[in-house]
């Protein structure tokens, strides 16, 4: 078979696939008679309302000297780890707003960080294409720095996101600019499986985010610069379970819905979307029209424990609280007093859902919580 | 309506300073004044910020110049006050003019007298004696006055300036949510900024206005402040800072926040403003304490020098409130954060305030002065003697530190007429010398070295050792003179290698200039990176790196061998086919075919053993895990490689290597020495490393910190250049992969000083994997990076690399092979027959012409995209000198960029011409 012939057949196959995809899209469109908000409205549901003290900034975590890029809560205790461009990971006690660890990283260009489920170690990754694990209990060296306890190397591009597999400290899933996601065994430091890459069903551009299903930890989704999100089964690395189209820009962030049957995405096209992993349908688009033509990118999202609220950080410093049911913005944290002065780059909800932490390019992190009569500190 | 007279305040009465009077001049637009005085915000006198003088700032030597007030005629106050409001950076001269105008307006010539009485010594006294007399820039505002931007000069911190700039009425009462109440008072600019005493003002608001108005300026400080703003220099002059006062203060002894408790309740103190908080409030008031124990509002301010001793020592209360780890982090931050460091300009050595680098040198030397406090010191660089200005030596620190000016004869105020290293020594020292047995008759001038050896000035032979006698140290102890510490003698080479010293974290960030190096694949950016490492690092590659490099090189060589073997197979097939064809034709021609070469042997055939090896090698190459197996394979197959390399078939193939497109040009460099390289005890040389492909490409990012070594020519330029060797640069190389338009991580590099973009000149005819011209590909990446929002206003240096290859190639292939360069029609001189002898200026070579052409192409593209100027440098990646030149050029650009900020007002044109003449 000559090269020309191969090329021809490849082109033909591409056309076929595109046609099939288009038919699929049309069919989906046909079947999708309503979205969540439309149905909820028809059922007469009213949106959530917020009083003036229902969500206030009650702590400001100052200490970074560079843009904050990522944060993560511990599952059980009120601790937060944050990664910043100043080349440090800081572990915070969110209650007292004090640092407990400040880890100077060997490579300052860090993009992501994660707390282990047991709260014993933190992981981070960045432009050095490695995922570094720090054990918080290990003794510091002469200069007071915490040594790296494990490096997971093997990615051929930057590490954009990492998340520990829930309930075990030994597995972590990373996403990378080399278009793959990898499941690692931390004890051996080796790759257990690689998702995507050479396979056709993998992402075709940099993977920017992963989220592991909270209810069944073998499923995870990934969002990518190819404007798709993909669902993976850790047991089947060879191909993605499902690909979710819909976004018109890079998918910056993905997050599973608390029930594990849906997940949300945030994208450069300024929208957040809700997808159902069982049907593959897009359930809802969350988009706020802006008066000017500048469309802020969605940088990070998080769901409340019930799933009724969706917190979304935007590149213009806004942080919307969406009513997921009615698709309405019920609060903009960016317009409140004491809000961030820069892009909200990351946010996360504490495990018990009582507090929201936002990290921003203004170098600060802020803890938002119910500001009513409850006494703080 | 504009009143000619300024609104006047009754002057302020003070217990001590009867004559001290204040007024202000401001534009008045209201109705005619019935002499109703504007009401000032009632504020407690105690709360007003006091201008704190640096405790012992040397005022004896500062050149205080008292402004002369020449009469000025045009009191265009309206225009002026606007000027003042709009421009925080008024030039010093305009300030003087301001004084003049005001003084004239107020028809009161007390100003000059007032000013002249401001002797420097008095300044210090005035503030030191704690009187409530205010010094500082007398910018006074009444309650509707608009912004007074001088708050900048008081506190440089971003927080205060951002807050305090707000000074319109409307903002005064804006609540500051969520944090705490104490923030509120920050929003009263009048209370913070003005030097007016509002309390007094209040008292006398209904008083008479007959008192003459005087505007007083602290001229020197003002000058300094302005200069500082003007130059935007990091080094701040000796500004007398306003001491921060806590915003709220309850009754004595109570918590400053909740106003509960008494003297005996445990409290934590803010190290800036001395506010005290009880255990319930301390966490609210101090927040996350990024700079240690400071109120949230004090973050970013310098600490109270009196509290320097307590840095890092926290109270028991904090330990009880927080756990160990947290306390440790707070104390660490308190000790190490930049805002809490001793301001270097507070320390004067030999009459010269230090800069940050010098202070760092002083503090990080093996034998530093203990408990360095602000003040004036003298330092004898030869012997290491150190003492307070005008006093006997207090310590012997490490000698030869490059700090401060040169020592003065009267540094220690001696009167013995005996000199040590140019300093007249004190009586106590003389006594010590006598006891140590040194001949001091006849007022000798001694040179004393750090080891205690001394000689008379102008004589060669050492006369003896001061510390040689056992009794000397005892004598010193009795006379409380310093003796050399033991460690100072042990360190043989004190501080000649500045680059190796450890720099504190906060300084590191400041002094580090980051340079981003990017380029498409194959542009040679990794070569440049490696060259920089070899050029500027003492140990360019660590053991581990060398091991990795060795493996990479060996893998590469196996790869090259594989390509050769592949080529061999092809050549064998070709020649076999040819032979067969020939045989066929021979057969048909002559029918009597000889069978002697019918077994298919050509010069490209190899033996079965080698064949097996070659097949195995090709198979592993196809499967793609070349890296995985070669560690083990190296040992096993080394002899086989030797055999293979000696085989005639391989040699024949190697001779035809030009026909193997896959084989990179550097391959022959390694293949010539394949046997040596593939042996187990091979140690890659620097050149091997330089030539090696793909060393840094697997990991996305590599960086190297370096500083330019001081070259001999640099040394004698001037002292300012000495700091150059202290400046550190960080060359960051990122792989080109994913440098697309929507590159997410490029915004991480917004803090780099400049971007070096690397293009291989020889790429003009190369095609990338997907069939596009590599030069066009480079152009595309260049466009997307240059227009990336992160690099807005960034300087770019274009390195046109691989000029040697380019010149060579240009002889064979025209530049117009690349469609971007299709209008390249060089004027080739007719006299180019003797290309070797003619000089470049008169008759540039084709390569030079083409280089300039391409440079202009890129420059035009750049200025079309950004409207700015592109710097271009020509480089041969394998020649260290050319890389050195290019990186030094980058340094010049960075330096110029810094200076441009200073001279943007006046000398812009001059500088821009200079640089344009500098660039290619």
């Amino acid at each position: 078979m000559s090269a020309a012939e191969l090329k021809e057949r490849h082109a033909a196959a591409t056309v076929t696939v595109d046609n099939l995809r288009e038919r699929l899209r049309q069919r989906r469109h046909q079947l999708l008679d309503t979205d969540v908000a439309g149905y909820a409205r028809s059922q007469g549901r009213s949106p959530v309302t917020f009083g003036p003290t229902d969500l206030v900034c009650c702590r400001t975590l100052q200490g970074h000297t560079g843009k904050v890029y990522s944060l993560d809560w511990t599952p059980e205790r009120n601790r937060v780890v944050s990664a910043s461009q100043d080349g440090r990971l800081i572990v915070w006690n969110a209650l007292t707003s004090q640092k407990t660890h400040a880890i100077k990283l060997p490579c300052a260009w860090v993009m992501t960080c994660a707390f282990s489920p047991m709260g014993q170690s933190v992981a981070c990754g960045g432009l050095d294409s490695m995922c570094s694990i720090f054990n918080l209990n290990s003794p510091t060296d002469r200069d007071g720095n915490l040594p790296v306890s494990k490096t997971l190397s093997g990615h051929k591009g930057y590490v954009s996101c990492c998340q520990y597999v829930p309930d075990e400290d030994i597995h972590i899933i990373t996403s990378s600019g080399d278009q793959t996601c990898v499941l690692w065994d931390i004890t051996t430091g080796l790759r257990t499986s690689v998702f995507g890459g050479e396979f056709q069903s993998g992402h075709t551009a940099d993977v920017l985010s992963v989220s592991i299903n909270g209810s069944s930890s073998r499923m995870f989704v990934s969002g990518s610069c190819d404007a798709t999100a993909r669902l993976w089964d850790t047991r089947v690395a060879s191909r993605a379970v499902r690909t979710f189209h819909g976004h018109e820009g890079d998918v910056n962030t993905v997050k599973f819905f608390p029930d594990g049957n849906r997940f949300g995405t945030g994208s450069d096209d300024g929208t957040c979307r809700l997808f159902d992993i069982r049907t593959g349908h897009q359930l809802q688009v969350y988009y706020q029209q802006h008066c000017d033509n500048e469309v802020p990118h969605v940088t990070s999202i998080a769901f409340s424990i019930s799933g009724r609220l969706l917190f979304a950080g935007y590149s213009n410093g806004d942080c919307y609280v969406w009513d997921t049911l009615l698709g309405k913005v019920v609060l903009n944290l960016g317009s409140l007093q004491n809000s961030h002065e820069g892009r909200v780059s990351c946010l996360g909800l504490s495990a018990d859902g009582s507090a929201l932490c936002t990290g921003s390019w203004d170098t600060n992190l802020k803890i938002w919580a119910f500001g009513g009569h409850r006494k703080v500190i | 309506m504009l009143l000619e007279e300024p609104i006047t305040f009754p002057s302020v009465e003070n217990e001590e300073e009867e004559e001290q009077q204040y007024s202000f001049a401001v534009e008045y637009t209201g109705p005619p004044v019935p002499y109703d005085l504007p009401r000032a915000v009632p504020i407690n006198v105690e709360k007003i910020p006091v201008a704190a003088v640096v405790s012992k700032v040397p005022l004896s030597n500062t050149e205080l110049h008292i402004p002369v007030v020449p009469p000025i005629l045009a009191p265009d106050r309206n225009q002026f006050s606007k000027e003042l409001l709009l421009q925080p950076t008024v030039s010093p001269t305009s300030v003087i003019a301001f004084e003049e105008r005001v003084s004239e307006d107020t028809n009161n010539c007390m100003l000059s007298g007032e000013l002249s009485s401001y002797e420097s010594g008095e300044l210090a006294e005035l503030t030191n004696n704690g009187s409530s007399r205010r010094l500082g820039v007398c910018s006074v505002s009444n309650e509707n006055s608009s912004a007074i931007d001088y708050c900048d000069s008081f506190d440089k911190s971003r927080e205060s300036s951002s807050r305090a700039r707000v000074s319109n009425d409307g903002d005064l009462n804006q609540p500051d949510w969520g944090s705490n109440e104490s923030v509120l008072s920050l929003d009263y600019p009048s209370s913070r900024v003005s030097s007016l005493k509002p309390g007094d003002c209040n008292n006398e608001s209904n008083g008479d206005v007959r008192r003459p108005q005087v505007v007083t300026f602290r001229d020197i400080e003002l000058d300094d402040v302005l200069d500082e703003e003007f130059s935007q220099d990091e080094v701040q002059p000796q500004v007398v800072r306003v001491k921060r006062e806590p915003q709220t203060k309850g009754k004595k002894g109570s918590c400053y926040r909740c106003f509960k408790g008494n003297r005996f309740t445990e409290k934590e103190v803010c190290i800036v403003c001395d506010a005290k908080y009880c255990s319930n409030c301390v966490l609210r008031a101090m927040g996350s304490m990024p700079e240690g124990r400071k109120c949230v509002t004090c973050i970013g301010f310098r600490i109270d020098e009196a509290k320097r001793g307590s840095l890092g020592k926290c109270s028991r209360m904090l330990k009880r409130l927080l756990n160990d780890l947290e306390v440790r982090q707070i104390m660490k931050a308190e000790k190490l954060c930049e805002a809490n460091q001793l301001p270097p300009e507070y320390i004067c050595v030999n009459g010269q305030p230090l800069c940050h680098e010098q202070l760092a040198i002083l503090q990080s030397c093996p034998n530093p002065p203990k408990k360095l406090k602000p003040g004036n010191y003298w330092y004898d660089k030869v012997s290491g003697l150190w003492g307070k200005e005008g006093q006997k030596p207090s310590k012997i620190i490490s000698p030869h530190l490059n700090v401060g000016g040169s020592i003065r004869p009267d540094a220690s105020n001696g009167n013995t007429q005996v000199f040590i290293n140019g300093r007249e020594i004190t009586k106590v020292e003389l006594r010590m010398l006598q006891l140590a047995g040194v001949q001091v008759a006849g007022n000798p001038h001694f040179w004393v070295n750090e080891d205690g050896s001394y000689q008379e000035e102008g004589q060669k032979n050492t006369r003896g050792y001061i510390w040689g006698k056992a009794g000397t140290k005892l004598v010193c102890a009795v006379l409380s003179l310093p003796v050399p510490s033991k460690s100072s003698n042990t360190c043989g080479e004190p501080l000649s290698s500045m680059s190796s010293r450890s720099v504190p974290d906060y300084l590191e960030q400041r002094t580090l200039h980051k340079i981003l190096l990017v380029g498409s694949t194959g542009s040679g950016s990794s070569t440049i990176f490696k060259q920089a490492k070899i050029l500027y690092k003492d140990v360019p590659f660590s053991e581990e790196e060398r091991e990795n490099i060795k493996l990479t090189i060996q893998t590469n060589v196996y790869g090259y061998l594989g390509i050769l073997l592949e080529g061999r197979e092809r050549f064998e097939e070709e020649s076999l086919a040819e032979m067969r064809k020939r045989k066929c034709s021979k057969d048909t021609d002559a029918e009597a075919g000889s069978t002697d070469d019918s077994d298919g042997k050509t010069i490209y055939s190899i033996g079965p053993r080698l064949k097996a090896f070659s097949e195995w090698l090709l198979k592993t190459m196809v499967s793609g895990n070349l890296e995985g197996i070669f560690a083990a394979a190296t040992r096993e197959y080394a002899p086989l490689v030797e055999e293979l390399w000696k085989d005639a078939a391989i040699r024949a193939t190697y001779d035809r290597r030009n026909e193997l497109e896959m084989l990179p040009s550097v391959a022959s460099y390694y293949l010539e020495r394949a046997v040596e390289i593939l042996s187990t005890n091979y140690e890659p040389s620097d050149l091997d490393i330089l030539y090696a492909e793909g060393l840094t490409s697997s990991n996305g990012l590599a960086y190297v910190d370096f500083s330019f070594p001081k070259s001999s020519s640099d040394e004698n330029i001037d002292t300012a250049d000495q700091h150059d060797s202290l400046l550190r640069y960080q060359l960051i190389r990122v792989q080109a992969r994913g440098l697309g338009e929507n590159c997410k991580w490029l915004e991480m590099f917004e803090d780099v000083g400049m971007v070096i973009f690397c293009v291989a000149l020889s790429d003009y005819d190369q095609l990338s994997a997907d069939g596009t011209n590599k030069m066009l590909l480079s152009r595309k990446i260049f466009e997307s990076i240059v227009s990336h929002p992160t690099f807005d206003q960034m300087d770019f240096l274009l390195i046109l690399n691989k000029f040697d290859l380019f010149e060579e190639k240009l002889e064979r292939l025209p530049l117009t092979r690349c469609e971007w360069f299709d209008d390249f029609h060089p004027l080739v001189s007719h006299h180019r027959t003797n290309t070797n002898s003619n000089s470049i200026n008169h008759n540039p070579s084709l390569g030079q012409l083409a280089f300039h052409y391409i440079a202009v192409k890129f420059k035009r593209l750049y200025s079309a995209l950004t409207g700015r100027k592109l710097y271009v440098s020509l480089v041969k990646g394998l020649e260290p000198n050319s890389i050195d030149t290019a990186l030094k050029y980058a340094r010049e650009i960075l330096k110029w960029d810094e200076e441009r900020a200073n001279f943007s007002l006046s000398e812009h044109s001059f500088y821009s011409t200079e640089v344009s003449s500098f660039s290619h």
Side-chain angles (χ1 to χ4, degrees), chain B residues 696-714:
Chain B
T696 44
S697 57
S698 61
N699 281 352
L701 180 139
Y703 63 92
V704 56
D705 290 5
F706 64 93
S707 52
F708 287 99
K710 209 189 223 169
S711 69
S712 52
S713 62
D714 278 358

Side-chain angles (χ1 to χ4, degrees), chain B residues 9-30:
Chain B
F9 272 79
S11 85
V12 170
E13 295 262 346
N14 201 321
E15 308 85 65
E16 303 166 11
E17 309 290 334
E18 294 268 337
E19 313 306 316
Q20 188 52 40
Q21 289 157 347
Y22 298 88
S23 83
F24 70 102
V26 76
E27 178 185 345
Y28 180 72
T29 50

Side-chain angles (χ1 to χ4, degrees), chain A residues 62 85 88 97 106 252 268, chain B residues 177 288 326 505 703 744 748:
Chain A
Q62 289 176 294
Q85 214 190 349
R88 276 169 211 279
S97 70
N252 291 325
D268 272 1
Chain B
W177 260 60
S288 56
E326 290 167 357
D505 241 13
Y703 63 92
K744 298 270 168 186
M748 284 192 159

Side-chain angles (χ1 to χ4, degrees), chain B residues 542-642:
Chain B
S542 66
E543 276 304 305
E544 196 189 338
E545 278 176 303
R546 277 189 187 273
E547 200 53 42
N548 283 333
I549 288 165
K550 177 181 163 185
L551 205 67
T552 320
I553 291 178
Q554 290 180 334
T555 315
N556 283 349
V557 171
Y558 271 103
Y560 302 148
L561 272 182
I563 295 169
L564 271 189
L565 288 170
E566 225 170 20
R568 185 205 62 81
E569 264 180 23
R570 207 177 75 206
F571 293 150
E572 187 182 28
E573 263 172 40
E574 277 171 15
S575 58
L576 273 178
E578 207 172 305
M579 264 166 59
R580 240 176 273 126
K581 216 161 87 190
R582 217 172 27 209
K583 213 164 116 191
C584 276
S585 59
K586 230 196 258 173
D587 281 350
T588 48
D589 280 357
E591 286 195 7
S594 60
T595 54
D596 52 342
D597 54 352
S598 59
D599 51 346
K601 272 230 164 50
T602 70
I603 50 160
Y604 300 111
S605 305
I606 47 174
R609 210 160 81 91
L610 289 179
K611 192 146 185 114
F613 171 66
S614 122
E615 265 162 22
W616 170 81
L617 184 62
L618 291 177
K619 214 156 71 187
T620 41
M621 269 177 66
V622 167
S623 65
N625 52 354
L626 214 55
E627 290 93 351
I629 45 171
F630 271 109
T634 319
R635 223 167 302 121
E636 205 176 318
Y637 289 108
L640 215 54
V641 167
E642 196 169 347

Side-chain angles (χ1 to χ4, degrees), chain B residues 295-314:
Chain B
C295 315
V296 172
T297 49
C298 292
I299 289 169
F301 287 88
R302 283 182 176 174
I303 63 166
D304 183 359
E305 286 299 328
K307 293 200 169 59
R308 184 161 297 284
S310 66
L311 277 190
K313 295 177 191 134
C314 81

